[in-house]
Amino acid sequence: MTSTDRRTALRTGAGLLAGGALGAGCAPNGATARSTSVAHTAADPTTPSPAPSPRRYPGRPAQLTHGPRTRPRVALTFHGQGDPAIARALLSAAEKHGARITVLAVGSWLDQHPELARRILDGGHDLGNHTQRHLAINTMSEADARAEITGCAGRLRKLTGSIGTWFRPSRAPLASPQVVDLARAAGYPHVLSYDVDSLDYTAPGADAVARNVLGEVRGGSVVSLHFGYRDTVAALPVVLEELAHRGLSAVTTTELFS
């Protein structure tokens, strides 16, 4: 990709936010930005739609950081929180490039924007559990950590008929042994981690986000990204175009491990 192509792609990503995405939303402390300029057209959030459930992958560890290295596939996974306009822009950008992503949604975010659960699934993407309040789950008591996992699972079940396909711990790349056990008890055979961190939550600029991903990604990678950040919207077309140039397909995490 030439520098001119990169600038064009970044402008395209930024243009997806025209109409009102105002600011970053999924900060490490779990703060949620709100859009005041985007009107929402919501599907009926009380009507469950069929959704996949978690699967067990025999021979795979309890915590998954990457998929098979022998296949030309990668999984782009997004922490689901922040401005819903930015979330919609990212979903649209992925779909425009024929990509499917994985969204690990925060339960309190789904409480505020329940229509996005259906939007994610209707786009052919994976939807999973990223705890109820996006707190430091590894430092919690057993009871509190269980409530974080089951709370979000309950929101997902109410909205989609499923607890979601994956669980990812909040505020930590890896789950503690206690959280792994609690996730399994809640119905998640595996905890989903990652091997590539975009660092988009640090707001380093779209070019840096793209470099962070493209400098580390390879076949089987699971990439950590976030909803709620404009840099991510601008970087995503660049990432997807370069992945395609390298012969790598962006698929759901379920597809990556299947």
Side-chain angles (χ1 to χ4, degrees):
M1 178 179 296
T2 68
S3 59
T4 300
D5 292 337
R6 182 178 295 274
R7 286 194 297 271
T8 300
L10 289 173
R11 284 196 298 271
T12 300
L16 289 166
L17 289 174
L22 295 180
C26 185
N29 64 6
T32 301
R34 299 183 181 181
S35 171
T36 59
S37 60
V38 177
H40 304 302
T41 303
D44 180 5
T46 64
T47 303
S49 58
S53 296
R55 294 172 55 183
R56 182 174 179 273
Y57 297 91
R60 297 282 179 185
Q63 299 207 59
L64 301 172
T65 58
H66 63 83
R69 297 297 191 189
T70 55
R71 300 177 186 172
R73 297 177 171 183
V74 300
L76 304 181
T77 67
F78 290 78
H79 301 234
Q81 193 178 29
D83 186 341
I86 298 179
R88 291 188 182 94
L90 284 162
L91 291 165
S92 295
E95 291 157 11
K96 180 179 179 180
H97 286 80
R100 296 295 177 261
I101 65 174
T102 299
V103 180
L104 293 312
V106 176
S108 59
W109 183 70
L110 291 175
D111 289 339
Q112 294 175 1
H113 310 291
E115 73 281 1
L116 285 175
R118 295 183 62 122
R119 169 65 183 88
I120 292 162
L121 291 172
D122 289 347
H125 310 289
D126 271 0
L127 178 62
N129 179 334
H130 195 36
T131 75
Q132 178 59 24
R133 295 177 295 165
H134 200 258
L135 303 177
I137 192 168
N138 284 347
T139 67
M140 291 180 172
S141 69
E142 180 177 345
D144 288 345
R146 179 184 293 109
E148 284 294 307
I149 298 169
T150 60
C152 185
R155 301 306 192 277
L156 288 164
R157 188 185 296 279
K158 179 180 178 181
L159 292 170
T160 72
S162 165
I163 63 172
T165 47
W166 300 96
F167 168 75
R168 173 171 287 170
S170 49
R171 308 284 293 277
L174 294 171
S176 67
Q178 172 177 272
V179 171
V180 170
D181 290 342
L182 292 172
R184 184 182 297 112
Y188 302 97
H190 304 278
V191 171
L192 181 62
S193 184
Y194 47 88
D195 65 322
V196 178
D197 192 344
S198 70
L199 299 175
D200 57 351
Y201 62 88
T202 66
D207 281 331
V209 172
R211 284 197 306 271
N212 290 340
V213 174
L214 296 172
E216 300 292 334
V217 72
R218 55 193 176 113
S221 283
V222 177
V223 182
S224 173
L225 295 141
H226 291 73
F227 282 176
Y229 293 88
R230 289 177 290 180
D231 289 346
T232 313
V233 181
L236 187 59
V238 175
V239 170
L240 291 172
E241 289 169 19
E242 179 60 20
L243 289 177
H245 179 72
R246 298 180 188 182
L248 295 171
S249 299
V251 300
T252 66
T253 309
T254 298
E255 291 175 296
L256 185 71
F257 285 99
S258 296

